[in-house]
């Protein structure tokens, strides 16, 4: 790729379940492109440096951000809106980098938002309801029994319609490609650091993985097998795919406001 001049800035997203290696591969690709003289920017979501990102950081560490009683897991719709807002607040930065001809690599994007909200929300709600029920049974405290009932009721309605998730992010910049690092949830369990964040449970990851599979028909979705390969081998596969995406990129044609607006970039969920 050395000496290669792209026709325009490309937006490439890295997706995958927790511990699939996507963050490592996004970083390695970023470093490789810079070394070869390709202007590149790396953005990770959630961006924990913003005020919204700091709230999300607390949630990811403990699944809570409320102190109002023992039932502290927020509604999944609220959680999704905050994750979506975190992506929206980065759009100007991404668009500016693309306009400068940079390749923008993104570690997680809207697809993660949908996969984790739809896939993980019922598991989190059910887990908390069971925990509160056990605590209420053991203590005999009427107040705890009331919280347990509230949590059980919330868990019953914890499923989230994917259409709701898409609508909150309709209009985000669409990627030129999504690299989905495909590995089974069971295999990621043995990787270092597994279990440090709230979503890193096998039942949760299996549901998230199944939601990810629903994106396979998207024209820009690229499945990259990530099981039973070394990080270096996976890196070379990623670079091969990345080079193909950049070389195939054509200057954007003017689009209608519905398709992309005056900046000429296509938008998500208008397919």
């Amino acid at each position: 790729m050395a000496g290669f001049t792209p026709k325009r800035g490309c937006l490439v997203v890295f997706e995958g379940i927790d511990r699939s290696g996507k963050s490592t591969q996004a970083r390695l690709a970023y470093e490789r492109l810079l070394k070869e003289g390709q202007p590149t920017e790396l953005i990770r979501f959630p961006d924990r440096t913003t005020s919204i990102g700091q709230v999300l950081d607390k949630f990811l560490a403990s699944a809570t951000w409320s102190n109002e009683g023992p039932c502290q897991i927020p509604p999944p719709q609220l959680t999704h809106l905050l994750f979506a807002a975190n992506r929206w607040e980065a759009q100007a930065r991404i668009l500016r980098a693309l306009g400068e001809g940079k390749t923008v690599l993104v570690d997680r994007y809207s697809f993660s938002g949908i996969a984790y909200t739809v896939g993980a929300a019922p598991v989190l709600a059910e887990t908390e309801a069971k925990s509160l029920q056990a605590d209420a049974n053991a203590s005999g405290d009427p107040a705890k029994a009331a919280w347990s009932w509230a949590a059980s009721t919330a868990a019953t309605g914890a499923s989230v319609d994917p259409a709701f998730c898409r609508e909150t992010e309709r209009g985000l910049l669409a990627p030129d490609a999504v690299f989905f690092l495909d590995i089974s949830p069971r295999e990621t369990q043995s990787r270092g650091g597994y279990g440090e964040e709230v979503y890193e449970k096998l039942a949760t990851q299996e549901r998230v993985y199944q939601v990810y599979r629903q994106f396979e028909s998207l024209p820009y979705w690229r499945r990259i097998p990530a099981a039973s390969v070394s990080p270096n081998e996976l890196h070379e596969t990623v670079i091969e795919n990345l080079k193909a995406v950049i070389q195939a990129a054509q200057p954007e044609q003017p689009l209608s406001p519905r398709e992309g607006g005056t900046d000429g970039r296509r938008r998500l969920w208008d397919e």
Side-chain angles (χ1 to χ4, degrees):
M1 195 180 293
F4 173 70
T5 302
K7 300 181 180 70
R8 61 169 172 80
C10 288
L11 177 59
V12 178
V13 173
F14 287 74
E15 288 284 8
I17 61 173
D18 288 7
R19 309 297 168 178
S20 61
K22 60 180 174 36
S23 295
T24 297
Q25 292 304 320
R27 176 180 55 79
L28 290 174
Y30 168 70
E31 293 171 352
R32 174 84 166 261
L33 292 184
L34 286 182
K35 184 177 180 180
E36 296 184 354
Q38 169 67 50
T40 309
E41 192 157 336
L42 174 62
I43 298 176
R44 296 183 176 91
F45 289 113
D47 178 357
R48 306 183 195 217
T49 65
T50 70
S51 56
I52 293 174
Q54 290 168 14
V55 174
L56 292 171
D57 184 53
K58 179 180 178 182
F59 168 75
L60 289 169
S62 63
T64 68
W65 61 54
S66 168
N67 294 317
E68 298 179 4
C71 185
Q72 298 178 10
I73 293 182
Q77 293 86 351
L78 174 58
T79 306
H80 183 82
L81 288 172
L82 286 168
F83 276 104
N86 193 236
R87 289 183 279 274
W88 275 109
E89 64 183 346
Q91 292 299 289
R93 174 187 172 188
I94 295 174
L95 191 58
R96 181 172 59 252
L98 293 171
E100 294 170 353
K102 293 180 179 179
T103 294
V104 179
L105 306 180
V106 177
D107 180 358
R108 293 204 184 282
Y109 202 45
S110 178
F111 315 96
S112 279
I114 296 173
Y116 279 80
T117 298
V118 174
V123 179
L124 286 178
E126 182 180 356
T127 299
E128 184 185 35
K130 288 180 178 178
S131 175
L132 290 174
Q133 181 65 59
D135 190 27
N137 291 341
S139 67
D141 185 340
K144 289 185 177 180
W147 278 111
S148 172
W149 175 85
S152 297
T153 302
T156 302
S159 61
V160 181
D161 187 343
F164 164 81
C165 300
R166 288 194 299 271
E167 284 304 313
T168 64
E169 307 197 50
R170 184 183 297 276
L172 288 177
L173 293 166
D176 291 281
V178 176
F179 294 166
F180 176 63
L181 274 56
D182 193 359
I183 183 172
S184 75
R186 287 192 177 277
E187 188 163 344
T188 60
Q189 280 187 298
S190 61
R191 297 191 168 184
Y194 190 91
E196 292 178 355
E197 291 195 334
V198 64
Y199 290 129
E200 291 178 351
K201 305 291 187 294
L202 180 59
T204 303
Q205 292 298 309
E206 286 178 336
R207 290 180 63 103
V208 168
Y209 181 81
Q210 291 305 315
V211 179
Y212 266 129
R213 294 292 302 273
Q214 298 175 23
F215 298 130
E216 291 177 350
S217 62
L218 293 173
Y220 42 73
W221 194 264
R222 293 192 176 208
R223 174 184 171 273
I224 298 180
S228 303
V229 294
S230 70
N232 287 338
E233 291 173 323
L234 185 55
H235 172 61
E236 292 304 323
T237 301
V238 167
I239 289 298
E240 180 181 350
N241 279 269
L242 184 55
K243 180 177 180 179
V245 170
I246 295 174
Q247 288 181 330
Q250 298 295 326
E252 294 283 4
Q253 299 299 316
L255 303 175
S256 69
R258 178 182 178 279
E259 291 177 306
T262 57
D263 56 59
R265 297 289 310 194
R266 296 191 181 278
R267 304 293 169 159
L268 266 181
W269 310 125
D270 280 334
E271 294 89 350

